[in-house]
Amino acid sequence: MLLSTSTNQHLAQALSRALDEPVLPLSYRRFADGELIVEVADNAELPGRVTRTADRFSVDDRAIVIGSTINDRAHIELLQLQDLALEGGADEIITVVPYLGYARQDVAHTPGQPVSARAMVRSLSSHTDRLVTVNPHERSVLEFASAETTARSAVEALAPGLDIEAEDPLFVAPDTAARDLARTLCEAVGSGSIDHLEKERIDDTTVDITVSETDVSGREVVLVDDVISTGGTMSTAARALRSAGVSSVQAACVHPVLAAGAYTRLKAAGIDEVVGTDTIESPVSSVSVAATIAATL
Ligand code: R5P
């Protein structure tokens, strides 16, 4: 049985089909003080191994609790669903966090900051048997977990979502850290070459990008990264590549966070297409990670 946060309803349905396990119908409301209450929907048709009487809720099954922690509300909702599974006495609780928020805060970047990723991973792993995630920004954050963890890559899954005409497309990482992602996607497509740019972060929304010495004029380029958040990285990289004479630019990412204004920023920079996965529901989430997660479960 699946319990999905409201942020991942499409992915939960795809996973439900892949695993042949039902999604528990839930309803939401807020108390006057703003607190969220999530509960099994009234009059819901419950899956065979889930029962609710006047005084007892029971889950005679494994519970797969799924939700990307795209914001603070989603994190709290996921904790509530874990506790609902616990309350129902589920045989096993598996928590799937397709996009693990706060993973970029994996260290205290300056003295006086918390290691926020540690706080998040500890809270998510303390009431589950297993924690599964997809392309966490830093794999090392999973070492903070108190449960068994699995991290899967969904970069390969982006390949069918791309529109590639050239025989030798160029897969470009906007920084050295994303070079492996570019290589993985290039291999999944089965043709092309890879390159990376040099990135220096100026502030939360601005980066400096330096192109390499590779001759990119006339090349069909796919920019590859794990996350597109403000779009600062991808739009600056696209402008630099356009200036260097590339013929087209697509942007591919696993997690299309797309903070306010990001999509417009990407298009204004001359990016022809943006392709992302459904770890986060967005207008560019054309590729599903359901098969990747189902294979893991
Ligand atoms: C950073 O290291 C990540 O891999 C991404 O490049 C970054 O998070 C993208 O953020 P933004 O879209 O705000 O530039």
Side-chain angles (χ1 to χ4, degrees), residues 104 137 175 199 201 204 225-233:
R104 289 179 290 174
H137 180 66
D175 54 31
K199 175 170 102 175
R201 185 160 283 286
D204 293 353
D225 210 346
D226 58 341
V227 180
I228 301 178
S229 180
T230 67
T233 299

Side-chain angles (χ1 to χ4, degrees), residues 113 150 175 206 269 294:
Q113 287 184 359
T150 309
D175 54 31
T206 323

Side-chain angles (χ1 to χ4, degrees), residues 155 158 171-174 178 181-182 185 222-226 234 250 252-253:
V155 181
L158 290 163
F171 294 84
V172 178
L181 303 178
L185 186 52
V222 181
L223 278 163
V224 191
D225 210 346
D226 58 341
M234 288 296 207
Q250 294 177 72
C253 70

Side-chain angles (χ1 to χ4, degrees), residues 24 40 46 50-53 55-59 84-85 87-89:
L24 189 66
V40 177
L46 298 178
V50 179
T51 51
R52 183 173 56 172
T53 61
D55 53 12
R56 189 167 151 70
F57 169 65
S58 173
V59 179
L84 180 58
E87 179 68 8

Side-chain angles (χ1 to χ4, degrees), residues 6-29:
S6 47
T7 52
N8 283 93
Q9 296 174 64
H10 284 98
L11 177 55
Q13 287 299 327
L15 199 53
S16 165
R17 288 191 294 275
L19 295 171
D20 195 23
E21 293 191 39
V23 182
L24 189 66
L26 300 168
S27 67
Y28 300 86
R29 63 196 162 90

